[in-house]
Amino acid sequence: MSQQGYVAAPPYSQAQPGMGGYQGGFGSGPTQPLYGHYGGPPQAFTAPPAGMMKSPVSSPAGMPPPQVGSSYNPNVQQNGAHPQRYPAPPAVSPAYGQPPHAPYNSMASTAPPAAQQLTNQMSAMNMGSYAPGPMQSPPPPTGSVAQQPFQAPPPPAMGHPQMLPGQQSLHSSQQMPPQMGPPQSPQMSMGGMGSPFPGPPPSGPGGFQQPGPGPIGPPGYPQQAGQFGGHMAGPQQGMQGAFPGTPGALAGPPQKKLDPDSIPSITQIIQDDQANQGGQVFSTNIRGQVPPLVTTDFTAQDQGNASPRFMRCTTYSLPSTADLAKQCQVPLACIIKPFATLPKNETPLYVVDHGETGPIRCNRCKAYMCPYMQFIDGGRRYQCSFCNCVNEVPAFFFQHLDHMGRRVDFYERPELSLGSYEFTATIDYCKNNKRPNPPAYIFMIDVSYNNVKSGLVKLICDELKTLLEKLPREEGEESSAIKVGFVTYNKVLHFYNVKSALAQPQMMVVSDTEDVFVPLLDGFLVNFQESRAVICSLLDQIPDMFADTNESETVFAPVIQAGVEAFKAAECSGKIFLFHSSMPTAEAPGKLKNRDDKKLVNTEKEKNLFQPQKGVYEQLSKDCVAQGCCVDLFLFPSQYLDLATMGDVPSHTGGSVYKYNNFQVETDGEHFLRDLRKDVQKSIGFDAIMRVRTSTGFRATDFFGAIHMNNTTDVEMAAVDCDKALTVEFKHDDTLSEETGALVQCAFLYTTISGQRRLRIHNLSLNCSSQLSELYKGCETDSLINFFAKSAYRAILSQPLKNVREILVNQTAHMLACYRKNCATPSAASQLILPSTMKVFPVYMNSLMKTAPLVSSTELSTDDRAHLRQSVMAMGVEDTQLLLYPRLIPLHNVDVGGDALPASVRCSEESLADSGMFLLENGHSVFLWLGQASPPDIIQSIFNLPSLAHLQANMFSLPELDNPLSKKVRSIINGLLEKRPNSMKLVIVRQKDKPELLFRQFLVEDKSLLGGASYQDFLCHVHREIRQLLT
């Protein structure tokens, strides 16, 4: 065979589109990039050859047409950045994957059955070991083959002809350039993911997919011709090449089926990180160091940068230029959890009081005093590290410098030595220059027919009698300063006067819901300790008062409006706890109608299902935020209630939505009460405003969370609790200095539960580098997936789901292809190479694409999808990590004497055993799965039943039995319920029973029942996308 490539053999005498090492058939590639990106068109790769180009617009697989107003849009002019950068796609394009001229009819043939294709494909994947050794170890010299699994030339993968000794690769265009820059972190390599996905036989001439409607792929993915828009025909019968017509003789013998254990495993990575960093102290004194994983149990020691509990970044080494950022397409973002709970062994934040002058700030950029400020001139002046402005040091703050140029009182002042601390705010930081009053909690109970009959109203009233004793209070205070008030409602509102001087509570009815007002000022919001007798009397009476009600219609918006008015009258901020069960259909502002149209699913208009109804609710959110009124919504629906709209106010005011479908006191009562207790007792700040400042060269451009924004810089939150996080995206303005790095300061002004105005400051310093390898080395997968989840969930409000899924896959492929091209040691194109910090990124991404909001399935409830979408927007990194990769814990061989939890196993059906007992939890649901061959002694110990067959179908809790296994299993479950922000309802599932279908949706490495690829399939698909980008 000659050295120049395929020269004379008949099928190759014409130039073949899409072949490596070929110039002839390409022509000039189209100029349009493959896909839009958050910040602009990708620059790293030249446009792909014509034969491989996805056809724009005309084909379902093409590039999503530009949409206005979404965070995914390449052309959005956000904060004045990014003008339109490239022309619109042409209206007509050559057929998908066809050369401009002669079709290769001679090559059309049918593909083997899907199962066979998958086996062919998997068999060619030779997986090498990945990420040997610690992060720092440099790879072997470029010449060696340490990254490839075999010393000999690798066995031929699909579409990779057998090499003769000493011969160059024929796919020269797929070879990587020699490695540039300093040594990189080790990568993981996999062999030969060459062939396309199993799917219908290729259509159209030449075995290439035709554009046009085509069969619809599974809903978890972009709908394309063929399952993923297979870019080339599948292997032909009797032939294993990945290109149509490759003679079978060129492909090697089929290898054994891929071993799933050889592809990267999240559980393994979590266990390794726990083994390396678990139980250790993580000191934050080094700029840009990557913290332990969120799943690792470590102690953070603040030494000048905020603890990772407060701030985590997608990468701790920012690219120094906008071009580099655009080239790699790794989003630059920070996830901030301002009120994160600290473990008992970590120091709470210090409060600094600078007296009447207030906190010291830079005169120009208004950044607060922090460890990054440089003192000069013998300590009389300081240079701001954010804007370089030189400021005078106030006389009271002056201190001499030591021989190192550091202030003598460095360690005595938290604002000079710590990453996180608080300042007491002066009156200038208060609304209307008046000190705030302590906040209040208002409990608003829907007393319509359903809630009274189900026993819910009585359950709430009984619980509040004890729960109000536990309102949050300041450290060292005997009782809480928070005041409480009570409202019941159906079509009208009932306010209660519970003044301590009264013998009995008094009720006042407001029936004008058009213009709602608070009928009493004195006696509505009271101190619980002072009015305890009257409040308890009221809570005893409410269930009886409405026992005979027939009213089933309710109002909703006027109830929240009444709460806002009450806070206004009392001149305080606070929180509304609203217990509601049905769609508000009574004649009043905010009346809703059923718009749950399943015909919209899988169409361009599916986004309408997630969009809240505008008007009344939009204005209500603004009123709430302006008054510092947060809304927490507890919903008990038995049918659709338009959660997209009803949950809109909570999701803009820092609130939460809890949902209990078909609520029954016996089975769901405890689950709901656990949520209510957690919610009332959470540590929380009110009436908050946040500003993120950065050093020169980059700035915060986009914010995701349960927030409201009136302008582009101030993030407003009516309240923020210990579980709420917001995600901030950064963009370059200019080149960043590798020497000084990049600084982020998050300043958070809020009112404490005792009514004090405070500033909470979190500072973080990051590295900057002109080497892409450094950027990838500093990446954090868990933070990346938090960013992608939030940006995708925002994008589905304005774009078709298909486009959003396509962008997710494309950006995954682009990030990994850029690594492969610029950082990895050259190796065969058939190997998938992943950065060691992003080895498991594809697992999370695939799981994200299988979550309810991104799956177009009529079987999913619209309200459930909207609920998950809203919940995720306010989640921190640990919550999204668990949601997207649930923990699957084997309990059948648990050590009943030990303290340690059994190690989690991979989230796949292959991990389950017929004789096993497994616990699965993702922060929202928890299942106890029992194999059909579970030993009778285990069943006896846990359930006190002779065998699995005796188990009742509707058990939601475990009986309290006095034996070691029962105690251990219950303590593990209770420990998880305690740890998570939300309560979870235990569902007990027997193998092969109907409820097992729900359980299986959480096995995220497997193919989804509702559409969505398995992890292995997705990995192959991404690998194909990467190879296409690189050719």
Side-chain angles (χ1 to χ4, degrees):
M1 193 190 295
S2 97
Q3 187 88 17
Q4 279 76 42
Y6 305 111
V7 182
Y12 304 111
S13 51
Q14 293 162 294
Q16 271 214 252
M19 290 287 312
Y22 239 177
Q23 290 306 312
F26 285 15
S28 62
T31 52
Q32 186 209 352
L34 264 172
Y35 44 84
H37 161 57
Y38 300 74
Q43 305 280 314
F45 306 106
T46 49
M52 279 199 181
M53 185 61 196
K54 294 187 173 186
S55 91
V57 179
S58 63
S59 126
M63 170 186 164
Q67 291 266 349
V68 180
S70 136
S71 65
Y72 275 80
N73 183 352
N75 307 328
V76 161
Q77 301 199 16
Q78 194 176 56
N79 292 351
H82 318 309
Q84 179 130 352
R85 292 237 176 90
Y86 44 63
V92 183
S93 63
Y96 192 156
Q98 266 187 246
H101 310 300
Y104 298 115
N105 290 327
S106 59
M107 289 178 359
S109 69
T110 54
Q116 175 62 41
Q117 277 199 20
L118 184 62
T119 316
N120 291 351
Q121 175 180 356
M122 289 303 195
S123 66
M125 289 170 61
N126 311 310
M127 299 282 182
S129 62
Y130 49 89
M135 284 271 299
Q136 287 75 20
S137 63
T142 312
S144 86
V145 272
Q147 285 195 321
Q148 297 175 11
F150 305 104
Q151 290 295 336
M158 284 175 248
H160 225 41
Q162 178 75 56
M163 309 278 180
L164 302 171
Q167 181 186 350
Q168 292 175 337
S169 161
L170 300 170
H171 289 211
S172 56
S173 70
Q174 292 184 350
Q175 287 296 358
M176 308 305 321
Q179 179 173 327
M180 307 297 284
Q184 284 84 29
S185 53
Q187 308 100 1
M188 164 202 158
S189 57
M190 304 190 186
M193 300 199 183
S195 96
F197 262 43
S203 54
F208 286 92
Q209 299 288 5
Q210 286 279 62
I216 287 170
Y221 281 117
Q223 257 172 300
Q224 302 180 337
Q227 211 173 350
F228 268 99
H231 305 310
M232 307 164 201
Q236 336 278 270
Q237 281 166 336
M239 307 182 187
Q240 275 189 311
F243 301 105
T246 308
L250 282 181
Q255 275 107 35
K256 65 182 188 305
K257 189 176 183 305
L258 174 73
D259 171 19
D261 291 336
S262 62
I263 54 181
S265 150
I266 289 183
T267 48
Q268 190 57 52
I269 292 219
I270 288 174
Q271 282 157 26
D272 291 350
D273 198 68
Q274 177 65 38
N276 294 335
Q277 308 195 65
Q280 296 186 14
V281 173
F282 174 75
S283 294
T284 68
N285 55 349
I286 300 172
R287 183 177 87 192
Q289 63 175 334
V290 183
L293 296 179
V294 281
T295 44
T296 299
D297 187 20
F298 65 95
T299 302
Q301 188 177 36
D302 185 341
Q303 292 191 349
N305 283 301
S307 156
R309 304 194 200 287
F310 295 121
M311 295 175 88
R312 277 183 180 267
C313 292
T314 51
T315 176
Y316 287 80
S317 186
L318 301 182
S320 50
T321 64
D323 286 345
L324 267 184
K326 203 180 292 169
Q327 186 181 338
C328 67
Q329 291 205 10
V330 173
L332 312 176
C334 181
I335 297 92
I336 303 168
K337 203 174 190 180
F339 273 79
T341 311
L342 295 176
K344 293 197 171 38
N345 60 349
E346 291 181 19
T347 321
L349 300 196
Y350 289 100
V351 181
V352 179
D353 190 350
H354 282 172
E356 286 305 300
T357 51
I360 297 176
R361 311 175 65 174
C362 168
N363 291 329
R364 185 196 286 163
C365 70
K366 298 290 183 253
Y368 292 86
M369 180 53 67
C370 69
Y372 315 136
M373 302 298 187
Q374 296 291 322
F375 287 87
I376 52 177
D377 219 1
R380 285 188 292 277
R381 300 196 294 166
Y382 68 92
Q383 183 172 21
C384 170
S385 309
F386 291 88
C387 69
N388 300 325
C389 171
V390 174
N391 299 270
E392 296 292 326
V393 173
F396 80 91
F397 195 68
F398 173 78
Q399 185 55 270
H400 295 285
L401 308 184
D402 64 12
H403 65 286
M404 307 263 294
R406 211 156 63 165
R407 282 175 57 127
V408 182
D409 61 355
F410 179 80
Y411 289 109
E412 291 153 37
R413 289 194 175 271
E415 70 272 34
L416 299 181
S417 54
L418 297 178
S420 300
Y421 42 88
E422 292 197 320
F423 289 116
T424 50
T426 54
I427 201 133
D428 307 338
Y429 292 89
C430 303
K431 265 191 191 157
N432 311 325
N433 286 354
K434 260 172 76 180
R435 291 269 173 210
N437 291 314
Y441 283 180
I442 304 179
F443 296 89
M444 301 184 142
I445 306 168
D446 163 2
V447 287
S448 60
Y449 177 80
N450 282 348
N451 282 4
V452 175
K453 282 288 171 282
S454 70
L456 175 64
V457 173
K458 184 168 178 6
L459 186 72
I460 293 169
C461 291
D462 288 349
E463 178 63 29
L464 286 179
K465 282 185 264 187
T466 53
L467 187 52
L468 293 176
E469 298 275 5
K470 300 176 190 155
L471 291 170
R473 58 178 191 262
E474 290 286 354
E475 288 286 318
E477 294 292 321
E478 292 208 347
S479 65
S480 174
I482 295 173
K483 296 191 162 177
V484 292
F486 303 88
V487 174
T488 56
Y489 67 95
N490 38 44
K491 252 166 53 172
V492 296
L493 284 77
H494 324 106
F495 290 79
Y496 297 93
N497 184 343
V498 283
K499 205 162 146 185
S500 57
L502 296 173
Q504 281 293 325
Q506 295 169 347
M507 170 170 159
M508 297 184 182
V509 180
V510 174
S511 51
D512 177 10
T513 50
E514 287 296 325
D515 186 16
V516 75
F517 64 97
V518 181
L520 71 162
L521 277 179
D522 192 26
F524 176 60
L525 293 177
V526 298
N527 180 302
F528 174 69
Q529 299 301 341
E530 291 168 13
S531 297
R532 176 182 304 177
V534 193
I535 291 174
C536 288
S537 164
L538 169 68
L539 293 171
D540 284 334
Q541 291 174 41
I542 287 175
D544 300 336
M545 260 191 284
F546 299 99
D548 302 325
T549 185
N550 288 321
E551 188 53 75
S552 58
E553 281 197 315
T554 55
V555 294
F556 181 67
V559 185
I560 298 176
Q561 192 66 51
V564 175
E565 297 301 327
F567 289 137
K568 254 186 207 153
E571 296 187 348
C572 70
S573 51
K575 186 186 251 197
I576 293 173
F577 295 82
L578 212 132
F579 306 91
H580 190 91
S581 67
S582 58
M583 189 188 284
T585 51
E587 277 310 324
K591 173 184 175 179
L592 296 176
K593 57 181 191 296
N594 189 337
R595 57 188 190 118
D596 184 19
D597 185 357
K598 290 282 197 247
K599 289 198 207 65
L600 299 182
V601 173
N602 235 335
T603 69
E604 297 277 310
K605 289 191 179 155
E606 186 167 1
K607 56 181 184 265
N608 299 0
L609 297 173
F610 297 112
Q611 293 166 353
Q613 297 189 35
K614 294 275 190 278
V616 174
Y617 290 97
E618 205 170 13
Q619 188 54 46
L620 197 51
S621 292
K622 287 180 183 158
D623 294 349
C624 285
V625 172
Q627 189 51 47
C629 161
C630 166
V631 179
D632 275 357
L633 187 53
F634 293 82
L635 289 172
F636 306 88
S638 51
Q639 60 206 50
Y640 172 80
L641 45 63
D642 193 359
L643 198 140
T645 302
M646 292 180 75
D648 195 46
V649 177
S651 67
H652 282 96
T653 59
S656 308
V657 178
Y658 301 89
K659 184 160 170 278
Y660 312 90
N661 295 341
N662 304 313
F663 179 83
Q664 290 175 313
V665 171
E666 305 75 45
T667 55
D668 305 286
E670 199 45 48
H671 169 39
F672 154 62
L673 291 179
R674 274 197 306 263
D675 272 334
L676 178 60
R677 287 171 199 143
K678 277 188 180 190
D679 200 41
V680 169
Q681 295 172 54
K682 268 179 187 175
S683 60
I684 185 167
F686 290 96
D687 202 7
I689 185 159
M690 185 182 102
R691 178 71 73 90
V692 176
R693 292 183 174 83
T694 53
S695 50
T696 49
F698 75 120
R699 67 200 157 97
T701 55
D702 214 348
F703 301 87
F704 306 86
I707 56 172
H708 175 74
M709 296 194 72
N710 270 329
N711 55 37
T712 55
T713 52
D714 295 328
V715 179
E716 296 181 60
M717 288 168 276
V720 63
D721 63 48
C722 54
D723 297 317
K724 297 285 182 296
L726 68 162
T727 299
V728 183
E729 187 179 11
F730 300 110
K731 289 272 189 326
H732 285 74
D733 281 336
D734 204 346
T735 303
L736 299 175
S737 150
E738 296 192 39
E739 199 180 321
T740 55
L743 309 176
V744 180
Q745 184 180 77
C746 156
F748 192 83
L749 176 66
Y750 72 101
T751 303
T752 66
I753 44 181
S754 61
Q756 242 198 333
R757 205 71 178 141
R758 286 218 193 132
L759 278 150
R760 181 171 280 223
I761 312 290
H762 296 300
N763 301 293
L764 190 61
S765 59
L766 303 170
N767 286 334
C768 301
S769 175
S770 54
Q771 301 292 341
L772 281 173
S773 56
E774 288 299 312
L775 171 126
Y776 282 101
K777 210 185 280 185
C779 276
E780 212 215 22
T781 291
D782 298 333
S783 300
L784 275 171
I785 203 68
N786 176 285
F787 174 84
F788 278 111
K790 291 184 183 185
S791 42
Y793 280 7
R794 181 195 285 174
I796 61 178
L797 293 175
S798 56
Q799 297 195 42
L801 262 66
K802 193 180 78 163
N803 294 9
V804 176
R805 291 191 297 255
E806 215 164 82
I807 288 167
L808 288 173
V809 176
N810 283 334
Q811 197 158 351
T812 302
H814 201 117
M815 292 191 305
L816 298 173
C818 176
Y819 176 79
R820 168 92 195 230
K821 182 176 179 186
N822 298 292
C823 311
T825 315
S827 59
S830 54
Q831 287 189 312
L832 175 59
I833 302 212
L834 302 170
S836 67
T837 52
M838 291 169 74
K839 278 191 299 218
V840 289
F841 183 74
V843 196
Y844 285 117
M845 181 54 83
N846 186 39
S847 178
L848 171 61
M849 291 173 57
K850 293 192 281 191
T851 54
L854 290 175
V855 172
S856 301
S857 165
T858 49
E859 289 178 37
L860 293 167
S861 123
T862 303
D863 277 345
D864 286 353
R865 295 174 74 194
H867 184 214
L868 185 58
R869 194 197 78 77
Q870 288 172 353
S871 306
V872 167
M873 292 310 282
M875 278 187 189
V877 178
E878 53 277 51
D879 302 331
T880 45
Q881 187 278 328
L882 187 65
L883 178 76
L884 295 173
Y885 200 86
R887 288 172 71 176
L888 184 61
I889 305 169
L891 293 181
H892 41 275
N893 46 14
V894 61
D895 171 15
V896 289
D899 289 337
L901 264 179
S904 304
V905 292
R906 293 183 81 141
C907 212
S908 160
E909 192 184 344
E910 295 187 358
S911 301
L912 302 173
D914 285 2
S915 59
M917 172 168 71
F918 292 83
L919 188 72
L920 182 143
E921 62 115 7
N922 73 345
H924 291 259
S925 309
V926 59
F927 295 91
L928 184 63
W929 182 90
L930 300 157
Q932 54 191 8
S934 297
D937 56 328
I938 286 187
I939 303 298
Q940 184 69 49
S941 301
I942 300 286
F943 299 102
N944 202 15
L945 294 169
S947 76
L948 199 54
H950 292 76
L951 193 64
Q952 296 298 308
N954 53 358
M955 275 185 73
F956 295 101
S957 63
L958 298 179
E960 296 192 13
L961 304 175
D962 189 12
N963 67 65
L965 184 61
S966 171
K967 284 178 182 167
K968 181 68 181 174
V969 168
R970 279 182 294 117
S971 90
I972 288 175
I973 293 174
N974 292 336
L976 293 177
L977 293 179
E978 203 49 51
K979 211 166 148 189
R980 305 293 171 226
N982 296 338
S983 157
M984 299 179 279
K985 176 177 165 185
L986 179 67
V987 180
I988 295 165
V989 174
R990 280 186 298 200
Q991 189 178 5
K992 304 271 197 289
D993 271 12
K994 198 170 175 215
E996 200 196 14
L997 288 174
L998 181 62
F999 166 81
R1000 281 179 186 273
Q1001 285 179 23
F1002 295 96
L1003 299 176
V1004 295
E1005 289 199 15
D1006 299 343
K1007 198 169 185 320
S1008 162
L1009 304 168
L1010 297 168
S1014 70
Y1015 169 32
Q1016 291 185 11
D1017 290 356
F1018 181 70
L1019 210 50
C1020 299
H1021 174 59
V1022 166
H1023 185 224
R1024 253 201 7 262
E1025 294 279 320
I1026 292 170
R1027 288 180 69 174
Q1028 196 173 338
L1029 282 170
L1030 292 174
T1031 46

